[in-house]
């Protein structure tokens, strides 16, 4: 998408919204306001340059939301529903209408709005297992142990955790980008059978309808309580729970407050609920939120042995002619690379045979397994070769019959070539901040 186009779209939409508003088509206006704000939020995230621009967009958003909220209340009134004046809790039924926003007593489970929110959240429950096993995650032994202790043991041996010995309620995974935090969470989801895994991204929670966000948080926890034992995984918590400050929006503050209340579990039973968070900028977390993640585990860049395992994992069963020694060399050479960087190096190297096929001007005949039927051995398979090779035939891949192409294996040369063109993504500065945070609040994983 061209830069700025989302912003333009957002502006177009809210322009239309104000028009509809003027023409008293409130329902349409409400829809457009909501829609426009969604676009604005997207623009803030991906397009807007500089804090000033972002702030001014945010201010505009608030204005539109304010208007939208009024419209919503107005429309509700039209439908003969009692509404509390100006409050954001306007949508509740009359039973709870007079109470505070933050109470937990609205147990009327047939509240249609609550149903709607919960059904929205049901989408965040990962029912299907992601098929990432502990063994697929290279290194990170400390982190794995801590997660097993918090997730697997309490479910398997509940009697281990009685009396004063209680399992962890909140675990924060932090570390440089691409080191496997989200991946590790997927492993937890796979391995923790019997427990319900809610994977919510901050964008699920900071909903299009900002006023509803804190209710989403509340509903999320309620849902987790009814499905316990459960694990709530919140990726990129930093965007949800950064330090509270004076100039942040009212709604952001409400989300955080609700979060604090729910994690604390006052008046509500948080047994059997584990909140798992991941972030790569832990220092911007609010201190109160930080405290609620009782265990904070540093997920570092992989050390040499972990990198070696990663190379093997990512190569998988693709045909290659790398020796053990070759892989060890690669592991040595990739100091400072993250897991994600390594997976990119390998993926790029895996593509090189394909490129060879595409660019080759000569092919030669070899004997080997037929690509269509592993049982038969053919003696007229074609592999790309250099023009000087014995038996080289001048031809391009277009002329090779599809069942006769033999794919050249990945070589050390391919790996080194990809390695030289892929640079590590993690920078010194972030590492320093992470080290500082680990020293102050963390635990090595
Ligand atoms: N320890 C690891 N073992 C195996 N693969 C890994 C490991 N770490 C990273 N990877 C690979 O890198 C990819 C990206 O990792 P992941 O998405 O978990 O990073 P992250 O730590 O969540 O990064 P971010 O902080 O940017 O969200 C994974 O899909 C996986 O293929
Ligand atoms: Mg991640």
């Amino acid at each position: 998408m061209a830069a700025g186009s989302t912003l333009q779209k957002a502006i177009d939409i809210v322009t239309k919204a104000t028009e509809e508003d003027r023409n008293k088509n409130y329902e349409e206006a409400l829809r457009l306001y909501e829609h426009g704000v969604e676009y604005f939020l997207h623009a803030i995230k991906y397009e807007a340059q500089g804090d000033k621009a972002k702030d001014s967009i945010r201010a505009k958003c608030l204005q539109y939301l304010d208007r939208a909220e009024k419209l919503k209340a107005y429309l509700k009134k039209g439908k003969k529903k009692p509404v509390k004046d100006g409050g954001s809790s306007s949508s509740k039924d009359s039973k709870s209408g007079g109470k505070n926003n933050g109470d937990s007593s609205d147990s009327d489970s047939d509240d249609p709005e609550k149903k709607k929110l919960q059904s929205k959240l049901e989408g965040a429950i990962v029912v299907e297992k992601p098929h990432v096993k502990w063994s697929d995650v290279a290194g990170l032994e400390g982190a794995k142990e801590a997660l097993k202790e918090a997730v697997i043991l309490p479910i398997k041996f509940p009697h281990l955790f009685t009396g004063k010995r209680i399992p962890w309620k909140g675990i924060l995974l932090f570390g440089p980008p691409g080191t496997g935090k989200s991946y590790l969470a997927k492993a937890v989801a796979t391995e923790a059978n019997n427990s319900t895994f809610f994977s919510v991204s901050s964008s699920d929670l900071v909903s299009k309808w900002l006023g509803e966000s804190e209710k989403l948080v509340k509903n999320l926890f309620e849902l987790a309580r009814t499905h316990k034992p459960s694990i709530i995984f919140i990726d990129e918590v930093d965007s949800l729970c950064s330090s509270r400050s004076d100039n942040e929006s009212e709604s952001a503050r409400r989300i955080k407050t609700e979060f604090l209340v729910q994690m604390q579990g006052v008046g509500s039973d948080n047994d059997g609920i584990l909140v798992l968070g991941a972030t790569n900028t832990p220092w911007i977390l609010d201190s109160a939120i930080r405290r609620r993640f009782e265990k904070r585990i540093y997920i570092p860049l992989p050390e040499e042995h972990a990198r070696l395992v990663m190379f093997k994992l990512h190569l998988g069963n693709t045909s290659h002619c790398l020796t053990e020694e070759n892989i060890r060399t690669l592991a040595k050479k990739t100091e400072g690379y993250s897991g994600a960087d390594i997976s990119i190096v390998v993926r790029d190297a895996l593509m090189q045979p394909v490129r060879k096929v595409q660019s080759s001007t000569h092919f030669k005949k070899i004997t080997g397994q037929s690509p269509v039927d592993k049982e038969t051995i053919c003696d007229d398979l074609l592999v790309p070769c250099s023009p000087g090779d014995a038996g080289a035939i001048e031809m391009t891949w277009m002329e090779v019959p599809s069942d006769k192409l033999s794919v050249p294996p990945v070589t050390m040369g391919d790996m080194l070539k990809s390695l030289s063109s892929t640079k590590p993504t993690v920078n010194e500065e972030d590492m320093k901040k992470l080290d500082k945070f680990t020293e102050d609040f963390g635990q090595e994983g």
Side-chain angles (χ1 to χ4, degrees):
M1 208 183 273
S5 65
T6 314
L7 192 56
Q8 191 50 51
K9 186 123 194 244
I11 295 172
D12 289 348
I13 295 175
V14 290
T15 315
K16 225 188 253 156
T18 36
E19 235 166 65
E20 296 290 345
D21 201 352
R22 248 199 320 266
N23 296 337
K24 302 207 165 58
N25 295 330
Y26 295 131
E27 218 149 314
E28 181 62 10
L30 173 61
R31 196 185 65 78
L32 286 169
Y33 278 128
E34 279 184 45
H35 201 53
V37 167
E38 232 173 280
Y39 273 91
F40 274 124
L41 291 180
H42 185 91
I44 290 179
K45 203 159 175 198
Y46 299 109
E47 281 172 7
Q49 301 292 324
D51 287 343
K52 259 209 180 122
K54 285 185 187 173
D55 280 347
S56 74
I57 297 179
R58 244 180 236 129
K60 273 267 176 276
C61 277
L62 276 184
Q63 212 177 313
Y64 295 131
L65 284 173
D66 225 36
R67 179 66 195 155
E69 202 133 359
K70 283 208 184 98
L71 287 181
K72 200 179 177 195
Y74 176 83
L75 288 170
K76 276 248 161 90
K77 227 181 232 164
K79 286 176 196 155
K80 296 272 176 298
K81 271 201 179 169
V83 179
K84 216 177 101 179
D85 274 342
S88 61
S89 55
S90 53
S91 46
K92 276 186 193 156
D93 281 340
S94 51
K95 300 182 224 173
S96 54
K99 287 178 190 156
N100 277 337
N101 194 14
D103 69 352
S104 56
S105 58
D106 52 340
S107 54
D108 37 344
S109 56
D110 45 19
D111 181 342
E113 186 180 3
K114 189 163 163 183
K115 272 229 176 95
K116 196 183 92 200
L117 289 177
Q118 292 211 340
S119 72
K120 227 189 238 173
L121 283 165
E122 304 259 349
I125 306 179
V126 180
V127 185
E128 214 173 305
K129 300 285 173 189
H131 298 295
V132 181
K133 295 192 290 298
W134 290 127
S135 55
D136 291 336
V137 182
L140 308 179
E141 297 308 328
K144 280 192 230 171
E145 284 314 310
L147 287 172
K148 282 181 200 169
E149 187 180 302
V151 178
I152 316 284
L153 286 180
I155 295 169
K156 191 155 184 192
F157 307 112
H159 56 274
L160 263 181
F161 296 90
T162 45
K164 291 277 177 227
R165 194 187 297 138
I166 42 175
W168 301 110
K169 294 262 171 65
I171 297 186
L172 178 70
L173 304 174
F174 68 96
T179 44
K181 297 180 292 297
S182 310
Y183 201 55
L184 203 52
K186 278 188 195 159
V188 174
T190 314
E191 301 273 356
N193 336 42
N194 307 334
S195 50
T196 330
F197 194 86
F198 296 82
S199 175
V200 280
S201 69
S202 307
S203 63
D204 283 340
L205 290 182
V206 183
S207 85
K208 27 185 145 191
W209 188 219
L210 280 183
E212 272 175 4
S213 287
E214 76 270 14
K215 284 184 223 153
L216 268 175
V217 174
K218 187 167 159 183
N219 271 284
L220 173 67
F221 276 82
E222 258 167 41
L223 208 56
R225 274 176 213 120
T226 50
H227 285 78
K228 74 183 175 184
S230 44
I231 301 163
I232 302 178
F233 173 57
I234 303 168
D235 213 349
E236 324 288 348
V237 267
D238 47 280
S239 56
L240 200 64
C241 303
S242 51
S243 307
R244 282 166 290 181
S245 61
D246 292 338
N247 56 6
E248 71 181 356
S249 69
E250 175 62 27
S251 58
R253 198 193 308 267
R254 281 204 303 255
I255 296 175
K256 270 171 229 168
T257 317
E258 188 62 40
F259 214 84
L260 288 173
V261 171
Q262 292 296 337
M263 272 190 86
Q264 186 83 335
V266 179
S268 48
D269 174 23
N270 268 7
D271 269 359
I273 297 181
L274 169 73
V275 181
L276 193 60
T279 172
N280 48 37
T281 48
W283 51 88
I284 68 172
L285 280 190
D286 190 82
S287 56
I289 297 272
R290 188 174 65 223
R291 184 172 74 73
R292 279 163 181 76
F293 285 109
E294 305 157 309
K295 220 171 157 70
R296 297 174 283 269
I297 305 174
Y298 182 40
I299 307 291
L301 285 173
E303 25 82 55
E304 190 175 323
H305 181 71
R307 293 198 297 270
L308 185 136
V309 178
M310 275 181 208
F311 272 109
K312 287 189 185 162
L313 281 174
H314 292 310
L315 275 169
N317 53 9
T318 319
S319 84
H320 64 83
C321 51
L322 299 175
T323 61
E324 192 69 20
E325 186 55 42
N326 286 156
I327 296 182
R328 222 171 300 146
T329 316
L330 287 170
K332 268 211 191 73
K333 277 177 175 288
T334 40
E335 177 79 57
Y337 281 67
S338 69
D341 294 337
I342 290 177
S343 86
I344 288 171
V345 169
V346 177
R347 254 176 43 210
D348 190 63
L350 293 187
M351 283 308 284
Q352 305 240 14
V354 180
R355 284 183 210 131
K356 259 182 231 163
V357 170
Q358 269 183 318
S359 62
S360 189
T361 55
H362 288 71
F363 286 77
K364 67 178 176 190
K365 288 201 166 129
I366 56 154
T367 309
Q369 281 178 343
S370 157
V372 279
D373 178 14
K374 298 275 178 241
E375 303 287 286
T376 47
I377 302 290
C378 308
D379 58 0
D380 55 351
L381 294 177
L382 293 159
V383 280
C385 67
S386 63
D389 278 12
I393 312 164
E394 187 171 351
M395 64 196 299
T396 65
W397 62 274
M398 298 287 278
E399 295 155 63
V400 178
S402 54
D403 57 344
K404 294 297 177 202
L405 179 71
S406 167
V407 184
V410 181
T411 63
M412 183 65 174
D414 294 337
M415 285 298 221
L416 291 174
K417 196 167 156 204
S418 305
L419 190 57
S420 65
S421 62
T422 316
K423 293 277 163 276
T425 43
V426 181
N427 67 20
E428 277 294 309
E429 217 171 292
D430 285 348
M431 284 310 287
K432 270 193 208 126
K433 282 190 197 160
L434 282 165
D435 286 342
K436 174 93 175 47
F437 184 87
T438 317
E439 213 171 272
D440 292 349
F441 307 108
Q443 171 192 352
E444 297 273 343

